[in-house]
Amino acid sequence: MTTKQIKWTMFIITAIGNFIAMLDSTTVNLALYPMSVDLHVTMGQIQWVMIAYMLILTVFLPFFGKLGDIFPKNKLYTFGFTVFALGAFLNTTAETFGLLIGFRCIEALGASVMLSNSQAIIASIFKNERRGKALGLNGCIIAVGGMSGPALGGVLINSFGWRSVFFPCIPIAVIGAFYAYRMLPRTVKIDIKNFKFDYKGFIYFTVSLFALLLAISEGHAWGWNSLKIIALGVIAFVFGALFYIRDHKINYPLINFSLFKIKEFTFGNLAVMTSYMAMFTNSILLPFFLQEILRYNPLVTGLLILPYSITLSVIAPISGRLSGKYGSRYLTIAGPIIYCIALLMFTLFGKNVLIWQIVLASGIMGIGNGLFQSPSNNAIMTSVQKSELGIASGILALSRNMGNILGVAVTITLFETFRNMFLHNGKVYQTAFLYSYRITMCFGIAFGLMCLSFAYIAYKKEN
């Protein structure tokens, strides 16, 4: 194999890990109801199948990103594939709700290893224009995995039951583990004597982030003024402060806060987080709108969401390549503007909206996100030193997942608040749904404008 072929083989192995991690997290969405029936739990309880996965995945991202700067990438990524495959297999055997939650946490650990190190591996094996193209393809694959999950889940559940949603990822992960060990970079040598890791700081960080994400995830259900949410807020603040103080005192910090002195890195990550908040405003509510208001079945709903993935798949590699050649500034500004236009189109939808209008808006949304994500990822990873690519990759993945969780929590909270308010004022259900849907989409536009502002600051040329 030529050097070029070897590099793109490494990319494929890395990208497959990202794809199955995101695919699995979303195929479960449509399986929640049959899971609740089969395991005899309420819908409120079964939501933890998703929440537990996302919490564990997100909390461990900086940890595994740090390990990516210390240990050989081939062994670490092989470990991720293996743990993921084990968790996916165990999910198919779960006979109780508690076991299913535990097995999902195991699976999430494997996904966290892969997602936290993928950007670093790609950034280390590609340079300049090809790095932008590769990061663009990787971002595209992550998004496609997330968006195509519900459609695949619907087909599998209808044919084979809810346990079948975990089967496709098992052989892919096993094959991925084999080739990851053989093909990925293995140049880092482990020096056990000199290896230092801030375990106490990691505990502080984990407790703080877990409390914060749990509060965000459950605030709309428990009530933002409830004792549980207030207690979680206090825990998050106290342990976060302890982590920050400790990280500034030791010589081997878990997160190098000096990275945040880099303008492109800090504001770039903020732009990524708010972009995902804007995206999830639409991706959470659109399926409900298509099924509850327009009365489309799950298969048609999945097909109407696909234009987003298709246009994203086409645009992301092109924009990534262009960013590697010409820079990220104009692309990261154009992206949010375009998907804000798409969100504005969604706010105009009603009961008489036509299919071509939904397809057009979804496609424009994919174009905007494709223009933004790849150049942004490229600029963030290029702004740090090669020795810090692992932790930078972990923080970037953390920003992405924080955007996911915040987007879901804020969207659900706003939508349910407005819907209940309109129902209380005597509106019929469909009218209340449409009003609250449109208002919540306006908040999605606000997140998109925040993303635009952060991107403008991040990549603004200095005088």
Side-chain angles (χ1 to χ4, degrees), residues 12 103 264 308 346 391 424 431 434 454:
I12 291 171
F103 296 154
E264 293 84 357
Y308 171 88
F346 282 115
I391 187 60
H424 182 72
T431 302
L434 285 173
F454 289 136

Side-chain angles (χ1 to χ4, degrees), residues 68-69 71-78 117 120-121 184-186 188:
D69 289 329
F71 293 98
K73 297 292 192 295
N74 68 322
K75 292 183 179 180
L76 195 62
Y77 222 76
T78 299
N117 284 279
I121 293 173
L184 291 185
R186 58 184 72 189
V188 178

Side-chain angles (χ1 to χ4, degrees), residues 120-322:
I121 293 173
I122 293 169
S124 67
I125 60 180
F126 291 101
K127 304 296 180 185
N128 301 326
E129 185 178 342
R130 287 183 178 174
R131 174 187 284 182
K133 180 181 179 181
L135 287 171
L137 281 169
N138 184 58
C140 162
I141 289 169
I142 291 174
V144 171
M147 294 299 293
S148 59
L152 176 62
V155 173
L156 290 172
I157 294 165
N158 288 336
S159 303
F160 308 106
W162 67 264
R163 297 178 192 275
S164 64
V165 299
F166 301 107
F167 279 121
C169 293
I170 298 173
I172 297 174
V174 171
I175 295 170
F178 174 76
Y179 283 102
Y181 187 79
R182 293 190 61 185
M183 297 296 297
L184 291 185
R186 58 184 72 189
T187 54
V188 178
K189 295 182 180 180
I190 305 173
D191 187 353
I192 301 297
K193 293 182 180 179
N194 295 326
F195 172 67
K196 293 181 179 180
F197 184 78
D198 183 18
Y199 296 102
K200 186 179 289 187
F202 173 66
I203 292 172
Y204 291 159
F205 175 82
T206 301
V207 173
S208 176
L209 189 57
F210 188 88
L212 175 64
L213 296 181
L214 182 58
I216 293 170
S217 300
E218 292 299 306
H220 68 282
W222 293 346
W224 294 104
N225 295 324
S226 67
L227 183 60
K228 291 180 182 178
I229 298 300
I230 294 173
L232 286 172
V234 172
I235 292 171
F237 176 80
V238 170
F239 280 89
L242 289 173
F243 170 71
Y244 182 81
I245 294 170
R246 179 173 176 81
D247 232 40
H248 277 74
K249 287 184 176 180
I250 61 176
N251 296 323
Y252 47 97
L254 180 65
I255 294 178
N256 185 0
F257 281 95
S258 63
L259 288 176
F260 293 99
K261 295 179 181 178
I262 305 171
K263 185 186 67 172
E264 293 84 357
F265 183 82
T266 301
F267 286 96
N269 274 287
L270 288 172
V272 167
M273 184 179 73
T274 48
S275 74
Y276 272 85
M277 292 176 69
M279 291 298 110
F280 264 69
T281 303
N282 175 65
S283 63
I284 289 295
L285 294 184
L286 183 59
F288 283 95
F289 171 76
L290 295 175
Q291 294 180 84
E292 289 201 30
I293 301 302
L294 302 185
R295 299 297 180 184
Y296 292 135
N297 62 42
L299 179 59
V300 175
T301 298
L303 292 175
L304 290 175
I305 294 173
L306 275 182
Y308 171 88
S309 299
I310 293 171
T311 54
L312 177 62
S313 303
V314 173
I315 297 299
I318 297 172
S319 65
R321 188 167 185 172
L322 290 174

Side-chain angles (χ1 to χ4, degrees), residues 16-32 35 49-50 53-54 57 84-85 87-89 91-92 103-108 111 114 142 144-150 152-153 156 162-170:
I16 286 174
N18 287 333
F19 179 79
I20 61 174
M22 291 305 297
L23 179 70
D24 182 85
S25 69
T26 54
T27 50
V28 175
N29 286 355
L30 294 181
L32 294 179
M35 282 179 182
V49 173
M50 283 292 298
Y53 182 91
M54 290 302 297
L57 187 156
F84 185 87
F89 171 74
N91 286 333
T92 66
F103 296 154
R104 283 286 285 172
C105 290
I106 294 174
E107 190 180 22
M114 294 185 288
I142 291 174
V144 171
M147 294 299 293
S148 59
L152 176 62
L156 290 172
W162 67 264
R163 297 178 192 275
S164 64
V165 299
F166 301 107
F167 279 121
C169 293
I170 298 173

